[in-house]
């Protein structure tokens, strides 16, 4: 498929007003997306577990205007209050997707959104927020054009979410989503995320992700700035190739349920992401002392307990602790006894692999 496949033909229905609402989850990348080309095209393919508990709920009430406006007409409410400072980001998003949703300037939109996780938790809400919004807008399009197939609806929602925030395209469906052209993955695309199309062993069913909130402050480096650091980065080419190789390796890992190999790939990906930031110009260290304390504790405990607990990181200091369902009890105890002390205000979020966004 190409971009033009997402430009709709003339709408059939005339809809005066309505309300749509979606709850969309966050996701955690196993092979990381870091570096992009123009129009939110990734420099390398990535894969993620869709999460369940960490989610954004967005409702859009839409009313048809007397005549098409020159600019977007919308208001934004966040957790029950008007939120002017989010509006520029939404305007940029709407501009980017206008070509694919030609109805946008014909409606006034009241967008109300809230997160299941605390706002100042250092957890990025862009993936869940942009995917929830993309789904609401697609639902409006579906009302204007009821012939839209489910397959195109899902792909286009992912396509639009990607234009808001790259990783958001991996939040529409679950439970494992791949995004970005990868020779060895049939149907993979730079334009939208796809459900991982190959066999996945039961070891990866109901996988857990406990998110340790090490630093709840504002992100030191926005992801836009972060991705740009990969331009002219001395290790960029090797890194992009490595992501392809790690996806190749994951294929047999998922099939066989090989948790030992899984850990190697996932932890190496997390540290590589941070290594890229440490070796760019300007350079950043986004881990905090407690991030390293936690990583060392996980390594020590894994060795001692013979469990398969491992970590991954986003572009920040928080740690995602990943472990299989059958080791839940012992790992939860370990987290409470040994890791929670390293969290800001002892805060952490128990999440797990999930199955994608829901219409409410
Ligand atoms: O979607 P963005 O532009 O915020 O980028 C997200 C990048 C990482 O979270 C660091 C990795 C990933 O693949 O999700």
């Amino acid at each position: 498929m190409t971009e033009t496949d997402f430009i709709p033909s003339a709408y059939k229905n005339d809809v005066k007003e309505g309300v749509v609402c979606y709850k969309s989850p966050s996701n955690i990348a196993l092979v990381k997306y870091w570096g992009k080309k123009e129009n939110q095209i990734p420099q390398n393919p990535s894969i993620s577990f869709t999460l369940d508990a960490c989610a954004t709920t967005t409702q859009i009430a839409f009313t048809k205007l007397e005549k098409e406006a020159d600019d977007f007409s919308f208001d934004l409410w966040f957790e029950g209050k008007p939120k002017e400072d989010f509006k520029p980001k939404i305007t940029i998003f709407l501009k980017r997707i206008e070509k694919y949703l030609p109805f946008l300037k014909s409606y006034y939109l009241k967008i109300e959104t809230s997160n299941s996780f605390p706002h100042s938790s250092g957890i990025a809400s862009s993936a869940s927020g942009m995917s929830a919004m993309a789904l609401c807008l697609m639902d409006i399009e579906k009302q204007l054009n009821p012939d839209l197939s489910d397959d195109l609806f899902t792909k286009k929602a992912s396509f639009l979410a990607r234009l808001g925030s790259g990783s958001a395209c991996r939040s529409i469906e679950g439970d494992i989503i791949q995004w970005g052209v990868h020779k060895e993955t049939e149907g993979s695309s730079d334009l939208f995320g796809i459900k991982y199309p190959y066999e996945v062993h039961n070891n990866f069913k109901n996988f857990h992700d406990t998110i340790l909130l090490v630093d709840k402050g504002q992100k030191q480096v926005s992801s836009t700035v972060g991705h740009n650091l990969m331009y002219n980065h001395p290790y960029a080419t090797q890194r992009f190739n490595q992501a392809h190789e790690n996806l190749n390796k994951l294929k047999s890992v998922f099939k066989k349920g090989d948790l030992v190999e899984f850990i190697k790939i996932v932890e190496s990906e997390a540290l590589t992401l941070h290594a890229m930031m440490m070796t760019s110009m300007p350079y950043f260290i986004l881990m905090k002392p407690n991030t390293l304390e936690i990583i060392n504790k996980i390594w020590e405990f894994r060795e001692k307990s013979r469990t398969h607990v491992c970590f991954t990181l986003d572009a920040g200091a928080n740690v995602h602790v990943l472990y299989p369902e059958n080791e839940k009890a012992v790992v939860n105890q370990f987290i409470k006894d040994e890791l929670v002390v390293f969290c800001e205000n002892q805060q952490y979020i128990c999440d797990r692999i999930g199955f994608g966004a829901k219409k409410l």
Side-chain angles (χ1 to χ4, degrees):
M1 284 179 93
T2 66
E3 272 103 342
T4 46
D5 294 318
F6 296 103
I7 299 174
S9 40
Y11 296 130
K12 286 190 175 157
N13 286 358
D14 180 31
V15 183
K16 295 275 182 263
E17 57 181 15
V19 182
V20 290
C21 186
Y22 277 82
K23 181 176 179 180
S24 190
S26 184
N27 68 72
I28 181 67
L30 307 169
V31 172
K32 309 287 180 182
Y33 150 59
W34 198 242
K36 61 179 163 186
K37 305 177 197 165
E38 240 180 294
N39 299 327
Q40 305 273 98
I41 297 298
Q43 287 277 16
N44 65 262
S46 58
I47 195 164
S48 52
F49 282 159
T50 302
L51 295 179
D52 184 47
C54 287
T56 299
T57 301
T58 298
Q59 174 178 296
I60 301 185
F62 57 100
T63 318
K64 190 153 187 189
L65 302 167
E66 300 274 303
K67 65 176 183 50
E68 197 182 90
D70 293 332
D71 215 339
F72 302 110
S73 161
F74 73 97
D75 282 305
L76 188 84
W77 290 58
F78 178 67
E79 312 210 315
K81 293 190 194 97
K83 190 84 178 158
E84 287 298 314
D85 43 332
F86 280 8
K87 284 180 91 171
K89 204 171 172 191
I90 302 294
T91 305
I92 294 173
F93 178 49
L94 295 175
K95 270 197 193 124
R96 279 192 198 152
I97 62 174
E98 188 187 0
K99 186 170 151 194
Y100 307 102
L101 296 176
F103 69 82
L104 282 175
K105 282 186 179 153
S106 305
Y107 286 88
Y108 162 74
L109 310 174
K110 183 178 181 192
I111 307 166
E112 292 177 81
T113 181
S114 61
N115 292 334
S116 66
F117 45 89
H119 179 48
S120 58
S121 58
I123 296 191
S125 57
S126 57
S128 53
M130 288 299 175
S131 54
M133 185 145 162
L135 282 159
C136 287
L137 296 173
M138 278 312 294
D139 202 288
I140 301 173
E141 176 153 273
K142 172 100 185 167
Q143 295 183 33
L144 297 170
N145 183 10
D147 295 341
L148 188 74
S149 72
D150 290 349
D151 180 57
L152 185 57
F153 181 100
T154 306
K155 284 198 175 109
K156 187 165 169 182
S158 176
F159 171 87
L160 297 176
R162 187 197 97 242
L163 292 170
S165 170
S167 61
C169 77
R170 300 190 312 240
S171 274
I172 305 293
E173 295 179 285
D175 47 354
I176 303 178
I177 302 294
Q178 193 164 323
W179 165 45
V181 171
H182 175 237
K183 243 188 10 246
E184 258 67 48
T185 309
E186 226 184 300
S188 59
S189 170
D190 281 344
L191 301 179
F192 47 82
I194 59 162
K195 269 188 187 209
Y196 178 71
Y198 303 113
E199 207 180 321
V200 178
H201 191 278
N202 274 340
N203 281 352
F204 297 103
K205 298 276 142 76
N206 221 358
F207 225 73
H208 291 261
D209 177 6
T210 300
I211 307 161
L212 305 177
L213 306 179
V214 172
D215 181 20
K216 304 197 294 163
Q218 270 285 316
K219 280 215 246 176
Q220 208 188 107
V221 184
S222 74
S223 60
T224 311
V225 171
H227 290 293
N228 285 337
L229 296 174
M230 291 306 283
Y231 284 112
N232 300 321
H233 191 291
Y235 307 131
T237 310
Q238 293 95 319
R239 159 59 198 151
F240 301 144
N241 290 340
Q242 179 197 38
H244 285 266
E245 282 158 23
N246 280 340
L247 276 168
N248 289 343
K249 289 185 193 156
L250 269 180
K251 216 177 196 175
S252 76
V253 165
F254 278 140
K255 187 171 176 192
K256 289 195 238 148
D258 188 343
L259 292 168
V260 173
E261 273 307 304
F262 176 79
I263 291 170
K264 286 189 199 158
I265 295 166
V266 168
E267 291 190 345
S268 157
E269 276 287 326
L271 295 178
T272 299
L273 169 69
H274 282 256
M276 288 301 114
M277 282 181 261
M278 287 193 238
T279 50
S280 55
M281 193 56 77
Y283 41 80
F284 297 94
I285 300 182
L286 301 186
M287 288 187 264
K288 296 282 181 203
N290 281 351
T291 312
L292 291 176
E293 294 283 0
I294 290 167
I295 291 174
N296 281 306
K297 286 277 176 201
I298 290 174
W299 285 345
E300 223 175 79
F301 176 77
R302 186 162 76 217
E303 177 80 28
K304 204 169 60 191
S305 64
R306 307 258 155 228
T307 53
H308 300 88
V309 56
C310 71
F311 73 87
T312 188
L313 307 166
D314 268 338
N318 295 333
V319 182
H320 289 248
V321 186
L322 302 176
Y323 47 99
E325 167 75 10
N326 65 352
E327 296 176 359
K328 182 173 78 178
V330 49
V331 175
N332 273 334
Q333 199 56 50
F334 157 65
I335 291 173
K336 281 191 205 128
D337 293 347
E338 295 191 50
L339 300 186
V340 170
V341 292
F342 299 113
C343 298
E344 207 177 321
N345 304 325
Q346 315 239 321
Q347 270 187 296
Y348 63 102
I349 298 171
C350 293
D351 211 337
R352 62 173 64 195
I353 199 165
F355 297 94
K358 286 192 194 84
K359 183 172 177 167
L360 301 181

